[in-house]
Amino acid sequence: MKKHILPAIKLTVFSILLLCIIYPIIVWGIAQFSSNKGKGEVITFNSKIYYANVGQSFSKDHYFWSRPSAVDYNAAGSGGSNKAASNKEYLKQVQARIDTFLVHNPGISKSEIPVDLVTASGSGLDPNISVQAAKIQVKRIAKIRGIAEGNLQQLILANTEKPLFGLFGPEKINVLKLNIALDNLK
């Protein structure tokens, strides 16, 4: 036993140095080369500070709605609902979101609603929606704001982020940036 204790202590100290000091310093150093020095994308609008890479709650009819959050948009505790698609409570929650969406968007059928408007992401903090999720909300916003649907379609197109290198991931739209552009559209 004595001959195993010293190597175990050495391995523990080495692991602590590597994983708790050296590795975080390397990651921090790499982050210093990013545009915001690893602090995330900060947006200031109307004297308020927002973080573009953290989901925000938009549920008023004159804005594009964001993706639902399993953690109520609390960045301190990200996480999914951890409920299976067959869970009755989860299915009730999704159905309630569908019903709410249909009430606020008349003329749209249940089958047209993109899944990202009624289900939360794995982190519960996804700041993006699909292009389809934005387009399906155009009629509601155009009617409430008195803006031509074509202008809103152009706004969606201008705020669409393409896949990484044109290959990885779907097209997406950051809801915060889209709604700020919408407020500036007047």
Side-chain angles (χ1 to χ4, degrees):
M1 183 168 157
K2 288 182 182 180
K3 74 178 191 176
H4 296 294
I5 288 181
L6 189 56
I9 291 172
K10 287 179 183 179
L11 182 61
T12 301
V13 170
F14 174 75
S15 296
I16 289 171
L17 286 172
L18 178 68
L19 300 174
C20 296
I21 298 172
I22 297 170
Y23 177 73
I25 289 173
I26 290 170
V27 171
W28 176 83
I30 292 169
Q32 298 311 300
F33 293 105
S34 70
S35 60
N36 282 359
K37 307 237 182 267
K39 293 184 170 63
E41 187 177 352
V42 179
I43 296 175
T44 303
F45 182 70
N46 287 342
S47 302
K48 289 187 178 181
I49 296 173
Y50 301 95
Y51 290 92
N53 28 1
V54 176
Q56 313 282 325
S57 176
F58 290 102
S59 57
K60 294 184 179 174
D61 284 343
H62 62 281
Y63 284 116
F64 288 94
W65 290 3
S66 49
R67 188 164 189 177
S69 174
V71 293
D72 200 28
Y73 304 99
N74 180 359
S78 78
S81 68
N82 294 331
K83 295 178 182 163
S86 60
N87 182 294
K88 290 180 182 183
E89 183 182 326
Y90 176 72
L91 292 173
K92 278 186 197 174
Q93 190 176 42
V94 170
Q95 186 60 50
R97 291 173 183 158
I98 290 170
D99 295 341
T100 301
F101 189 83
L102 291 173
V103 166
H104 292 270
N105 296 276
I108 294 173
S109 69
K110 181 178 175 180
S111 63
E112 294 176 291
I113 302 172
V115 70
D116 54 323
L117 286 177
V118 294
T119 60
S121 66
S123 70
L125 298 171
D126 191 351
N128 304 312
I129 57 174
S130 65
V131 175
Q132 296 80 9
K135 286 182 176 180
I136 201 164
Q137 300 180 65
V138 166
K139 285 190 186 298
R140 179 191 78 233
I141 296 167
K143 182 179 177 185
I144 291 171
R145 288 191 177 235
I147 299 172
E149 288 184 29
N151 291 350
L152 291 175
Q153 295 287 357
Q154 288 296 324
L155 189 67
I156 289 170
L157 186 63
N159 284 278
T160 299
E161 297 175 28
K162 302 293 182 192
L164 183 65
F165 305 121
L167 299 171
F168 303 108
E171 289 184 332
K172 60 188 176 191
I173 298 174
N174 184 290
V175 182
L176 173 64
K177 291 177 183 178
L178 181 62
N179 283 328
I180 288 173
L182 180 62
D183 279 346
N184 289 330
L185 190 61
K186 300 175 184 183

